[in-house]
Amino acid sequence: MGQAAVSVVTLAVVRAPVSLPLTLVVALVKGVLVVFALATAAAYLTLLERKIAARIQLRIGPNRVGPGGLLQPAADGVKLIFKEKAAPAGRDRVLFQIAPALAAGAALFAFATIPINRTICVGGHGGAGPLSVSCAGGYLLHWDLANVNIGLLYILAVTSMGVYAIFLGGWSSNSKYSLLGALRSSAQLISYEMAVSFAIVGPILLAGTLNLEQMVHQQQGLWFIFLQPLGFLLYFTAAFAETNRLPFDLPEAEGELGAGYHTEFAGMRFGLFFFAEYINMVTVCSIATVLFLGGWLAPVWFLPSWLGPIWFVAKAGLLLFVMMWVRWTFPRLRYDRLMQFGWKVLLPLGLANIVVTAVFVAVR
Amino acid sequence: MLSAYIPLLVFLAIVLAFGVGITAASNLLGPRHPTKAKGLPYECGIVPSASARRRFAVTFYLTAMLFIVFDVEAVFLYPWAVLLRSTLHLFGLIEMLVFIALLAVGLAYVWRKGALEWD
């Protein structure tokens, strides 16, 4: 017992005392970089999605703006921001303004604790070993915005803010389609949030930490997807519902609800909701990468391990591709089936997965 | 260490600035020619028949209540899951199995009562 406790302690990253101004500057630079990277990623994911959809439907897809359509996202952005913002007269003016910004803000804010590489030592000298990092006289560079020991809990808390944006957006529009879309969406999001909460207990049990960087270090040698195949499936399935993607895109179900909760939003207000959806996709795929696919670890041992961020992006990109592939291949579920799938299939399976994993961990 | 959270505050400020900036830009830019028809909520082209502030199915409310119950129970799982490997071992396992059994009984009860049905 004592031995196990010690091994957990040595995992902790030893933090050198760093001056406050330096911390602020680094956080500012990283924050701007993350916002810029996520915004670019979201913009180009929309293009990628249209290209993939076109391929699947034997079309060409956007190819007029720039070489091969590569400037399409920029053209879309300019168009959205200069469009007339038609809005229903009976709307709640304050909430109608806040909802799109909240959606995008919550989506961006959630990314803060996801590490895309191991902590490295800049300047100074110190052994950056696999399990602990010391850095005498230099600066410890974390490859996430904030290396906090409740990283996973933080992400769960922040992503659940997205429900508020969707519900306030739908309700404040004073439109029946929007209200129905918002109601469906909130019920769906909270139901599948529970499936997510149960699915990620498996990796926590195996790793014994909520810090995402240590979670990846624990997967050195064996990724958790091999120990938690069911947990991964449960998480990834629920992630489709959490991001309102087909086959769970009932909130938007354009055949029956117009566009659901964002029917009445025009121009960049709609753009912010759209933006939030794609950022959320990036976030859930990154979490799946960190929890189950070994984060920045090289896929096979002979590949160079210093290319961490590349491996991370490759793994998350693969999951993003699967999400798009599924969207253009599967039909939409009926709403009652969707809710029953969450409560009667994912939830009991999640509980069973926790029990089996816990017995495995405690008895081993 | 609390200082690890300082970057989060900086990031919160950046994200707020981003949200406020885009919202303000989209309010300032673009033409504005409101007409009576543009101000109507979208209802497939017909004139809206009644206000959207109306009653909705009670099942949504029920789902929210069930969510609160089960999600609070999920919160109890996290500290246990973190400590099981290093400190709790068999005793913690048995304790939590009892808790999860109670959770499962609750789910079975809700299921039998028909609270998960949508009709």
Side-chain angles (χ1 to χ4, degrees):
Chain A
M1 179 172 163
Q3 217 171 7
V6 167
S7 79
V8 169
V9 170
T10 51
L11 272 177
V13 172
V14 183
R15 285 196 182 81
V18 178
S19 65
L20 184 64
L22 183 61
T23 309
L24 291 179
V25 169
V26 170
L28 197 65
V29 171
K30 278 197 222 163
V32 170
L33 274 179
V34 165
V35 169
F36 186 74
L38 283 178
T40 314
Y44 275 91
L45 281 175
T46 62
L47 178 66
L48 188 65
E49 171 125 55
R50 289 166 71 178
K51 282 283 192 190
I52 289 174
R55 278 278 168 182
I56 289 175
Q57 298 171 344
L58 302 180
R59 295 183 285 116
I60 297 172
N63 66 344
R64 295 284 148 173
V65 192
L70 274 180
L71 293 178
Q72 185 71 41
D76 285 341
V78 172
K79 182 196 78 175
L80 280 175
I81 206 145
F82 285 107
K83 271 215 160 205
E84 178 174 2
K85 279 84 194 172
R91 67 186 185 276
D92 184 312
R93 282 165 188 280
V94 178
L95 295 181
F96 197 76
Q97 293 277 1
I98 292 175
L102 182 62
L108 285 172
F109 197 40
F111 205 80
T113 59
I114 295 177
I116 60 167
N117 196 3
R118 72 179 76 239
T119 299
I120 56 171
C121 181
V122 180
H125 47 84
L131 290 185
S132 69
V133 179
S134 67
C135 191
Y139 181 76
L140 265 186
L141 182 65
H142 299 299
W143 284 68
D144 47 14
L145 259 154
N147 194 303
V148 295
N149 50 12
I150 54 154
L152 196 50
L153 214 53
Y154 165 87
I155 292 176
L156 280 182
V158 175
T159 45
S160 60
M161 293 288 293
V163 185
Y164 287 99
I166 284 176
F167 193 77
L168 292 178
W171 182 83
S172 65
S173 310
N174 192 24
S175 159
K176 293 182 198 91
Y177 283 133
S178 300
L179 182 70
L180 285 174
L183 278 170
R184 281 182 175 195
S185 185
S186 349
Q188 170 186 333
L189 285 180
I190 58 178
S191 298
Y192 280 79
E193 198 180 308
M194 236 156 37
V196 166
S197 318
F198 285 133
I200 63 176
V201 173
I204 301 176
L205 277 166
L206 291 174
T209 174
L210 288 169
N211 181 304
L212 291 173
E213 190 178 350
Q214 293 174 22
M215 185 83 82
V216 176
H217 280 309
Q218 297 275 10
Q219 297 177 58
Q220 205 92 44
L222 187 59
W223 298 354
F224 285 163
I225 187 173
F226 298 115
L227 297 171
Q228 287 282 311
L230 181 62
F232 175 74
L233 273 182
L234 290 174
Y235 178 79
F236 202 48
T237 312
F240 279 85
E242 283 288 286
T243 48
N244 289 336
R245 301 281 299 181
L246 260 169
F248 305 133
D249 74 332
L250 272 295
E252 288 164 42
E254 56 266 36
E256 32 189 302
L257 282 180
Y261 61 91
H262 55 40
T263 303
E264 300 293 343
F265 289 85
M268 206 57 201
R269 290 174 184 160
F270 159 75
L272 283 174
F273 275 122
F274 203 60
F275 183 67
E277 179 181 323
Y278 281 88
I279 303 222
N280 280 329
M281 278 170 64
V282 175
T283 308
V284 293
C285 288
S286 303
I287 299 170
T289 304
V290 167
L291 292 187
F292 297 101
L293 297 183
W296 64 79
L297 301 175
V300 248
W301 75 94
F302 54 79
L303 289 170
S305 62
W306 50 269
L307 281 175
I310 307 274
W311 305 135
F312 185 94
V313 170
K315 290 170 190 173
L318 184 69
L319 293 179
L320 281 166
F321 171 73
V322 173
M323 285 190 111
M324 292 180 180
W325 186 13
V326 165
R327 169 167 178 189
W328 297 100
T329 321
F330 279 72
R332 180 180 297 130
L333 263 80
R334 215 172 67 198
Y335 191 67
D336 58 335
R337 298 273 175 82
L338 165 88
M339 295 299 281
Q340 294 193 347
F341 181 67
W343 284 90
K344 295 185 177 176
V345 178
L346 291 187
L347 200 57
L349 279 180
L351 280 177
N353 188 42
I354 293 174
V355 170
V356 173
T357 313
V359 170
F360 172 74
V361 167
V363 171
R364 193 174 52 161
Chain B
M1 262 201 304
L2 219 54
S3 64
Y5 292 84
I6 293 172
L8 284 183
L9 287 178
V10 177
F11 193 45
L12 182 62
I14 296 172
V15 165
L16 278 178
F18 176 85
V20 171
I22 300 265
T23 308
S26 86
N27 282 348
L28 292 175
L29 299 171
R32 200 165 310 185
H33 309 291
T35 64
K36 192 161 182 296
K38 265 185 212 165
L40 291 177
Y42 174 74
E43 227 157 88
C44 296
I46 58 165
V47 177
S49 50
S51 163
R53 311 261 189 260
R54 54 194 304 171
R55 298 192 292 176
F56 51 81
V58 73
T59 330
F60 289 110
Y61 179 71
L62 201 59
T63 306
M65 296 235 302
L66 292 178
F67 163 72
I68 291 188
V69 173
F70 282 94
D71 210 42
V72 166
E73 285 169 343
V75 167
F76 286 121
L77 289 174
Y78 289 117
W80 164 78
V82 171
L83 292 176
L84 180 71
R85 207 183 72 157
S86 55
T87 38
L88 295 177
H89 300 296
L90 208 56
F91 175 71
L93 174 71
I94 293 165
E95 288 250 311
M96 196 40 93
L97 286 185
V98 172
F99 180 76
I100 290 177
L102 289 176
L103 200 64
V105 169
L107 183 65
Y109 175 78
V110 169
W111 195 327
R112 277 292 296 277
K113 275 284 176 185
L116 304 179
E117 308 298 324
W118 291 73
D119 43 19

